[in-house]
Amino acid sequence: MAMQENRDLSFDAFRGLAIIAVVAIHAIYFGGSPYSSGFLYYRQLLNFCIPVFFFISGYWVSMKPIDSLAGYKAFLGKRLSRIFVPCLFWSSLILGYSAVKTGNVHGYKTVFQLLTYYFIIALAQLYILTPVLQYLNRKLGGYGLILVLVFNMACLFALYLSRLFNVIWHLPAALPFYSWIIYYEMGLFWKGRYERTVTPRTIRLFRPFILFAILASLLISVMEVIIILSKYDNPAFAAFYTKYSTLLYSVCVILGFLFYREYFGRLPRLLGTVGRYSFGIYLIHIIVLGQVVEIFNGFGIIHSFQPLHQFVLVATTLSICLVLIVAARRILPEFIYGKIMGF
């Protein structure tokens, strides 16, 4: 596996693809028609991104087993401060700018701004649950993974009832851990229990099937969108990650990475750089994207051709984010750009 400065370049490349997909999804909402059928189908291609980040988080956390209460407290203190301090910093900055610009400060806006970082809130819950998941993996092995999968699928079923049939109270989808736990558990299980048992022969055997599975699951995702739109007229649910087809597609993409991992380390270094700074990009890309959209909305020719418009929005936003992050890392003390800003 290609390594550089003790980093796994394959994971950096995978993060790079995932954060590009995150920016592309938000570019749809800022600069397109997010609930048109064309964009909904395109969205299914991108829906692997957040599951991938949860998987990667679980993968690396598995290397730090928690075997005592003191170790658990240290683990939570380090992990939670790493994600929440930058989140609070950027949220406060955005809210301060909004207050100066509009002259108004509203408490509900503060809460809403924090909730826009739903990945961080859900990841914090999974950090808290890490000892439970590690215990299941130690005691039950593969059955622990199956148990978590069944739990996750049951929660998704409740979301279907909530969003499509209004059978139960309208359940939140993004913030609670139950929408994402299987991906985090996959990372914990693969690194902690399964990776060392996979042979090169097994990898070669499954590679062609994994590619087929990715394409088939993507097609299933598109078909589910068609059904949800035609029978339930619910484009918001059709777009989001909390569908069985998206779970299947995301798992297939993750397995595709694991079985083709050696090739990811050979992808262009720029992709690895994007992945290396993916957390910083995640924190600031909405701010940058909003300004980029305002600029390019004035170019009628570009805006009228949506594929080009979306490409320009994503490429420009990522470029600006990278420049800002690299500049901050060169100019500011490490405590500021690392601990406070999340770069």
Side-chain angles (χ1 to χ4, degrees):
M1 191 62 57
M3 300 290 292
Q4 184 178 4
E5 297 180 356
N6 297 320
R7 294 189 67 88
D8 189 321
L9 299 187
S10 64
F11 273 90
D12 280 344
F14 201 28
R15 286 190 192 94
L17 291 175
I19 195 62
I20 290 171
V22 169
V23 177
I25 287 174
H26 291 149
I28 296 173
Y29 287 87
F30 276 69
S33 303
Y35 296 134
S36 67
S37 58
F39 275 117
L40 283 175
Y41 302 150
Y42 170 52
R43 169 71 188 265
Q44 304 315 300
L45 177 67
L46 305 172
N47 269 351
F48 69 91
C49 54
I50 298 300
V52 162
F53 281 120
F54 283 114
F55 163 76
I56 293 175
S57 297
Y59 183 94
W60 293 112
V61 163
S62 69
M63 300 176 66
K64 302 180 183 300
I66 301 169
D67 51 12
S68 67
L69 180 59
Y72 180 51
K73 291 180 179 179
F75 167 81
L76 283 184
K78 181 178 181 180
R79 293 283 170 170
L80 296 182
S81 64
R82 182 182 296 176
I83 59 177
F84 273 123
V85 170
C87 175
L88 291 172
F89 172 79
W90 289 108
S91 295
S92 301
L93 199 64
I94 295 170
L95 291 168
Y97 171 78
S98 176
V100 171
K101 187 175 181 179
T102 64
N104 295 315
V105 179
H106 300 286
Y108 76 90
K109 286 187 176 181
T110 303
V111 175
F112 175 78
Q113 181 58 48
L114 292 176
L115 295 185
T116 59
Y117 291 124
Y118 67 86
F119 167 76
I120 292 175
I121 297 173
L123 183 59
Q125 297 170 60
L126 293 171
Y127 283 157
I128 294 171
L129 290 172
T130 296
V132 176
L133 297 175
Q134 289 183 341
Y135 176 82
L136 290 176
N137 291 338
R138 285 196 308 269
K139 296 298 182 180
L140 301 178
Y143 291 108
L145 178 67
I146 294 173
L147 181 63
V148 173
L149 175 61
V150 171
F151 170 76
N152 203 151
M153 293 184 70
C155 292
L156 291 187
F157 181 71
L159 287 173
Y160 275 89
L161 294 177
S162 171
R163 299 304 173 98
L164 298 182
F165 303 102
N166 294 316
V167 172
I168 54 180
W169 182 68
H170 202 62
L171 292 175
L175 293 175
F177 70 93
Y178 53 66
S179 294
W180 316 102
I181 190 170
I182 185 58
Y183 310 114
Y184 188 78
E185 163 65 5
M186 278 184 66
L188 286 172
F189 180 80
W190 184 275
K191 182 61 177 177
R193 299 279 303 183
Y194 191 69
E195 186 176 62
R196 60 182 176 269
T197 68
V198 179
T199 64
R201 183 176 181 277
T202 302
I203 292 175
R204 290 193 300 270
L205 179 64
F206 278 94
R207 275 177 177 171
F209 297 100
I210 291 298
L211 292 177
F212 173 79
I214 292 173
L215 294 175
S217 59
L218 179 58
L219 178 60
I220 292 171
S221 293
V222 172
M223 292 173 62
E224 186 175 17
V225 168
I226 294 173
I227 293 172
I228 291 174
L229 292 178
S230 61
K231 292 188 175 294
Y232 304 102
D233 191 28
N234 193 329
F237 186 76
F240 203 59
Y241 308 91
T242 51
K243 306 189 300 295
Y244 286 131
S245 61
T246 301
L247 188 154
L248 177 63
Y249 172 60
S250 299
V251 168
C252 290
V253 169
I254 291 168
L255 291 175
F257 163 72
L258 292 172
F259 282 97
Y260 283 89
R261 184 173 162 187
E262 62 185 271
Y263 295 99
F264 276 77
R266 304 171 190 170
L267 292 175
R269 296 177 66 178
L270 179 59
L271 182 63
T273 301
V274 172
R276 183 174 183 175
Y277 300 139
S278 58
F279 186 58
I281 294 172
Y282 170 75
L283 290 168
I284 68 172
H285 78 277
I286 289 294
I287 309 170
V288 175
L289 179 60
Q291 303 304 311
V292 170
V293 168
E294 289 187 10
I295 294 172
F296 283 101
N297 276 350
F299 294 87
I301 297 177
I302 296 178
H303 191 271
S304 61
F305 185 55
Q306 275 299 311
L308 176 61
H309 186 230
Q310 293 295 313
F311 174 81
V312 170
L313 292 182
V314 174
T316 305
T317 299
L318 286 170
S319 299
I320 294 174
C321 287
L322 282 176
V323 169
L324 292 175
I325 291 171
V326 171
R329 289 175 63 89
R330 291 187 176 182
I331 296 172
L332 300 175
E334 183 177 357
F335 176 79
I336 300 296
Y337 74 71
K339 302 291 185 181
I340 306 299
M341 301 175 70
F343 293 170

